Amino acid sequence: MDSICKSIRVFCYQLKRELLTVRTKLLFLMVGIFIYSNIEPIVNFSKAVNIKVTPWAFSHLVNDFTCQPVFMIGLIFLLSNAPFRSDTYRYIVARSGKVEWEIGNLLYIFTMTFLYTSFMFLVSVISLGTRISISSNWGKIWGTLAKTDAGMQFSVKFIINDFIIGTYKPLLATLYSFILEWMCFLWLGYLIYLFNLFAKRAVGVIVAGVFILLDIMIYNSWVESAYLISPVTLAQLSTFTKGNLKYGLTLEYAFIFFLTGIMLFIISTLIVANRKDKIYE
């Protein structure tokens, strides 16, 4: 029980300290502006046709070829200073213990990635402003943008995915997209933390950057089966088309991939924490 309390104190300390940094505030501001700028043409189209729009932009934003890398790079920026060692590090780890320190930091990444994903979703809804119409259906706006070239006429910057609209109910699509995006953020976040911790430099940032670019690299030159190891690809509902089933790209596989990776990263981090070397000096 004492170890749990110490880990929670470390988590609270890191959350309070990191959440209030200029870097975190700047990131959220920039991501918010980016999402708003992408939603604004949807609002303009809604006004032009005098039809309100349902609040289901999120699943399309995180499935877009351009938007998704921006969100992922934002995550790297958010966690680039892992393993979060400030001037008070030696004092805190001496009182809490190495394992408790790492568990607290892992809880911080778990929470921060959830907050980041939630912020993206909330901004995608709030950006619709007075043009929003609450409905459990996709509505005419999303259907029209997915099936016609109206988006080009109004300079819509992201793709409205017809496969998602035709395959999933909006609430389910949003739920799946939210969970997949969060799990991808968490997977990359724990990867960054583990590699930065072990190497004592920003190696994790570089490795995470490679994984983020993997989706684009495979699309341009590699075989589609390589998507099985691409976290950004597996975070997108549009990946799970019938044509990709032959490669094993299913929603179930994506959840297993993320959960397995997250658990391996956690276990590896705790193993490193138990090592008696100079990592904690």
Side-chain angles (χ1 to χ4, degrees):
M1 182 62 70
D2 184 54
S3 294
I4 295 175
C5 291
K6 289 179 179 178
S7 297
I8 293 175
R9 290 193 190 102
V10 171
F11 156 69
C12 293
Y13 167 78
Q14 294 290 39
L15 184 64
K16 181 180 179 180
R17 186 173 71 91
E18 294 292 331
L19 198 59
L20 298 176
T21 61
V22 174
R23 184 187 65 260
T24 302
K25 294 176 181 177
L26 182 62
L27 170 66
F28 275 65
L29 176 62
M30 293 175 65
V31 170
I33 293 173
F34 176 77
I35 293 174
Y36 176 83
S37 67
N38 277 272
I39 297 295
E40 188 176 23
I42 306 292
V43 174
N44 293 336
F45 176 60
S46 172
K47 291 178 180 178
V49 297
N50 197 29
I51 299 175
K52 290 194 173 184
V53 57
T54 54
W56 309 120
F58 182 79
S59 58
H60 299 290
L61 282 169
V62 298
N63 277 272
D64 183 71
F65 195 75
T66 303
C67 294
Q68 188 69 304
V70 172
F71 299 144
M72 296 298 165
I73 292 172
L75 175 79
I76 288 182
F77 183 71
L78 182 65
L79 302 177
S80 60
N81 63 330
F84 318 117
R85 294 181 178 178
S86 64
D87 295 337
T88 59
Y89 159 72
R90 293 177 184 273
Y91 171 77
I92 294 175
V93 79
R95 291 173 62 87
S96 67
K98 295 185 294 184
V99 174
E100 290 79 6
W101 167 266
E102 300 304 346
I103 292 175
N105 283 332
L106 293 175
L107 287 172
Y108 162 75
I109 294 175
F110 182 91
T111 303
M112 184 58 80
T113 51
F114 179 80
L115 292 176
Y116 183 45
T117 312
S118 299
F119 175 78
M120 289 163 49
F121 171 73
L122 289 174
V123 175
S124 73
V125 175
I126 294 172
S127 296
L128 294 171
T130 59
R131 300 306 304 172
I132 195 170
S133 173
I134 304 300
S135 172
S136 59
N137 298 316
W138 285 108
K140 293 183 178 180
I141 296 295
W142 299 116
T144 301
L145 291 172
K147 298 177 185 300
T148 69
D149 63 349
M152 296 178 61
Q153 298 176 31
F154 284 82
S155 301
V156 175
K157 302 173 184 178
F158 63 100
I159 297 174
I160 312 304
N161 196 285
D162 189 34
F163 168 75
I164 293 177
I165 290 179
T167 306
Y168 301 96
K169 294 291 185 181
L171 187 59
L172 189 61
T174 302
L175 179 62
Y176 281 156
S177 293
F178 186 97
I179 294 174
L180 287 172
E181 191 77 354
W182 179 30
M183 291 179 76
C184 184
F185 286 154
L186 198 55
W187 193 96
L188 290 168
Y190 283 161
L191 179 144
I192 292 171
Y193 190 86
L194 174 62
F195 276 79
N196 281 7
L197 173 67
F198 190 77
K200 293 195 287 185
R201 53 180 60 90
V203 174
V205 172
I206 298 172
V207 175
V210 171
F211 272 107
I212 290 172
L213 293 174
L214 196 58
D215 182 62
I216 299 173
M217 293 164 59
I218 296 171
Y219 179 81
N220 288 317
S221 58
W222 289 12
V223 294
E224 285 82 355
S225 58
Y227 282 133
L228 289 167
I229 59 171
S230 174
V232 176
T233 306
L234 295 171
Q236 302 175 58
L237 276 183
S238 56
T239 298
F240 312 117
T241 60
K242 291 182 179 179
N244 285 331
L245 289 178
K246 59 183 176 181
Y247 303 114
L249 291 167
T250 64
L251 190 60
E252 292 77 12
Y253 171 81
F255 284 127
I256 292 172
F257 173 87
F258 286 127
L259 286 173
T260 302
I262 288 168
M263 292 305 300
L264 286 174
F265 294 145
I266 291 174
I267 292 170
S268 299
T269 298
L270 296 180
I271 290 174
V272 172
N274 276 305
R275 288 181 56 184
K276 294 182 179 180
D277 55 21
K278 295 184 178 181
I279 288 179
Y280 291 86
E281 293 182 1

